[in-house]
Amino acid sequence: MKKITLIMAHASDGAIGHQGGLPWPHHPEDMRRFREATLGEAVIMGRTTWESLPSPLQYRHNIVITSRPDRIDKTQADAVKSIDDALKVAGNSHPFFIGGKTIYSQAMIYVNHFLLTEIHGRWPADTYFKVPFLNHKTLVSQEEWKHPEDASLNCTFSEYQNAE
């Protein structure tokens, strides 16, 4: 079975977004792990997530799900109308769903692997998502990480897969 991954960072209360960006300050360790996991692979996202990026994610196959594919610059990303189409366009690469909330919700029936970062602090947010039925997944690994200067950015990195 092909590995299809949901990769997400969230605050302890499930916050994943605030005014088109992340709720918390820059988190270099989470970004490093995201980059290492997705490098060379397909990253699938919704239009709002795409528009929140300063530029396309380098060295990855950027795929944007949108009702208006004609509005996405074809030199920067492939644009499709559905998750099924995104997975087809991803081809043989390992697809990662990277956000936002609507894409995460719709992708749950396809995903069999989860890379989650729970950042222990709380910040103002307007978008929330928690992976449903996580207690029915198999925990593969878990690591606590302490921020050297800001305890609110301490986090837990967890990897889950669907129970066999």
Side-chain angles (χ1 to χ4, degrees), residues 1-65:
M1 176 190 314
K2 181 176 185 169
K3 186 185 286 187
I4 300 174
T5 301
L6 181 147
I7 187 167
M8 178 180 77
H10 63 89
S12 295
D13 62 356
I16 62 169
H18 182 64
Q19 298 178 345
L22 297 172
W24 46 83
H26 180 67
H27 198 295
E29 183 63 12
D30 178 56
M31 298 308 284
R32 181 187 70 76
R33 287 173 184 250
F34 175 89
R35 186 173 41 259
E36 284 180 4
T38 61
L39 209 58
E41 304 297 352
V43 288
I44 302 169
M45 68 200 90
R47 181 193 47 79
T48 304
T49 298
W50 169 252
E51 290 175 352
S52 75
L53 299 175
S55 61
L57 296 175
Q58 288 189 320
Y59 310 113
R60 296 164 191 88
H61 182 180
N62 290 258
I63 304 169
V64 181
I65 300 173

Side-chain angles (χ1 to χ4, degrees), residues 1 9 19 41 60 62-65 68-69 71 81-82 88 104-105 123 139 148 151:
M1 176 190 314
Q19 298 178 345
E41 304 297 352
R60 296 164 191 88
N62 290 258
I63 304 169
V64 181
I65 300 173
R68 297 291 310 267
R71 292 189 176 178
K81 289 188 173 186
S82 71
K88 287 176 191 162
Y104 287 147
S105 296
W123 298 268
L139 179 63

Side-chain angles (χ1 to χ4, degrees), residues 115-127:
L115 295 175
L116 306 175
T117 302
E118 180 179 343
I119 301 175
H120 297 202
R122 286 181 172 233
W123 298 268
D126 53 26
T127 308

Side-chain angles (χ1 to χ4, degrees), residues 2-8 10 94 96 108 110-118 130-144 156-164:
K2 181 176 185 169
K3 186 185 286 187
I4 300 174
T5 301
L6 181 147
I7 187 167
M8 178 180 77
H10 63 89
H94 174 181
F96 286 80
M108 290 306 298
Y110 300 89
V111 172
N112 54 24
H113 183 241
F114 304 83
L115 295 175
L116 306 175
T117 302
E118 180 179 343
K130 284 202 173 190
V131 175
F133 310 113
L134 203 50
N135 57 333
H136 292 98
K137 311 295 181 200
T138 301
L139 179 63
V140 175
S141 66
Q142 196 164 57
E143 178 186 345
E144 298 293 325
T156 304
F157 297 104
S158 301
E159 178 180 5
Y160 292 86
Q161 64 188 25
N162 283 355
E164 296 291 323

